[in-house]
Amino acid sequence: DVKVTQSSRYLVKRTGEKVFLECVQDMDHENMFWYRQDPGLGLRLIYFSYDVKMKEKGDIPEGYSVSREKKERFSLILESASTNQTSMYLCASSSPRGKHPSYEQYFGPGTRLTVT
Amino acid sequence: EDQVTQSPEALRLQEGESSSLNCSYTVSGLRGLFWYRQDPGKGPEFLFTLYSAGEEKEKERLKATLTKKESFLHITAPKPEDSATYLCAVHYGGSQGNLIFGKGTKLSVKP
């Protein structure tokens, strides 16, 4: 089974702090993703990475950065946390299989971040 | 504008009462449509991938179907443990980042 783990289930930070969220997958997947999930807004893509050191912006990258130094690890960084970044953060990974050009994503358990 | 819309937002069923959830989409170049189940406080759990109109997938009491404009998740004789939010996601275009999630349907099954 694919396993995606996230460093914390719950996190409380103060406004202005630098926050690191870590994600590790154990299935040698090429693609990794960071989403945030908010009531009424659904899942929104922040950043994704398709290879080590490669990244692309998603729909809402402002206020975030990412790092992928190893294939299995993808970090999300909040440079200066703000209250509007209080949310559930979900990491996912995927990898091409077979002939299809689209691959399902496997999600971690999520980190509920509260910024006060 | 590319969109994915799920309906209804919430659905309450009695145990054994079959029904369907809908996911309609307007995107260019569909590459795959995914169904996920999400329990409260947890990450989404992958259920099905559908690639082309006419395709169907089944797993236990769930059956997913796909047309050119929408997908249905049919739930046959649901049980209380099927209670969850069901998410639909559509991958379109060339980039793996071109993935739009619907807002989900919250299903409650009462015994």
Side-chain angles (χ1 to χ4, degrees):
Chain A
D1 278 353
V2 174
K3 191 161 187 184
V4 180
T5 57
Q6 296 184 227
S7 51
S8 305
R9 290 302 310 276
Y10 301 94
L11 209 52
V12 180
K13 295 291 182 180
R14 293 191 181 275
T15 301
E17 279 193 83
K18 191 169 185 175
V19 182
F20 293 86
L21 302 182
E22 300 281 325
C23 175
V24 177
Q25 51 94 3
D26 66 357
M27 286 300 293
D28 202 35
H29 283 178
E30 282 80 3
N31 305 317
M32 297 188 74
F33 307 79
W34 275 108
Y35 294 89
R36 63 178 283 177
Q37 186 174 33
D38 300 288
L41 296 177
L43 274 146
R44 293 179 292 168
L45 181 65
I46 304 171
Y47 269 98
F48 77 100
S49 169
Y50 52 90
D51 202 350
V52 174
K53 296 189 186 296
M54 307 303 288
K55 62 185 179 184
E56 284 197 25
K57 293 180 180 179
D59 300 317
I60 51 164
E62 296 80 18
Y64 303 95
S65 62
V66 290
S67 172
R68 193 168 181 199
E69 296 297 319
K70 294 186 177 182
K71 190 175 185 179
E72 68 271 18
R73 190 179 297 270
F74 192 34
S75 301
L76 180 69
I77 302 148
L78 286 65
E79 298 290 343
S80 177
S82 64
T83 55
N84 63 12
Q85 292 178 309
T86 291
S87 186
M88 169 72 99
Y89 289 87
L90 290 159
C91 174
S93 70
S94 73
S95 186
R97 286 188 301 189
K99 62 180 179 178
H100 294 293
S102 186
Y103 343 119
E104 62 271 14
Q105 295 183 12
Y106 294 90
F107 285 82
T111 295
R112 184 161 295 281
L113 173 67
T114 302
V115 182
T116 61
Chain B
E1 182 186 352
D2 299 313
Q3 278 192 328
V4 175
T5 304
Q6 289 189 247
S7 61
E9 289 186 18
L11 182 63
R12 301 180 69 152
L13 300 173
Q14 288 296 125
E15 185 172 2
E17 180 187 1
S18 302
S19 189
S20 297
L21 313 182
N22 177 262
C23 172
S24 63
Y25 60 91
T26 52
V27 301
S28 299
L30 175 73
R31 307 196 77 171
L33 185 144
F34 309 100
W35 281 99
Y36 290 86
R37 169 194 170 121
Q38 187 173 24
D39 292 300
K42 296 187 177 181
E45 174 190 347
F46 169 72
L47 293 173
F48 303 110
T49 307
L50 301 166
Y51 294 107
S52 56
E55 192 173 357
E56 298 181 353
K57 294 271 180 75
E58 282 190 69
K59 180 181 179 180
E60 296 179 355
R61 296 177 290 282
L62 300 177
K63 179 179 177 181
T65 62
L66 181 65
T67 72
K68 288 187 177 179
K69 294 188 175 181
E70 60 192 347
S71 176
F72 291 94
L73 185 65
H74 306 278
I75 303 176
T76 302
K79 298 182 178 182
E81 53 262 41
D82 294 323
S83 297
T85 295
Y86 291 85
L87 300 172
C88 163
V90 171
H91 177 209
Y92 65 99
S95 169
Q96 283 299 308
N98 291 350
L99 189 70
I100 304 176
F101 278 84
K103 291 184 169 61
T105 293
K106 185 175 183 180
L107 174 67
S108 300
V109 182
K110 302 299 182 186

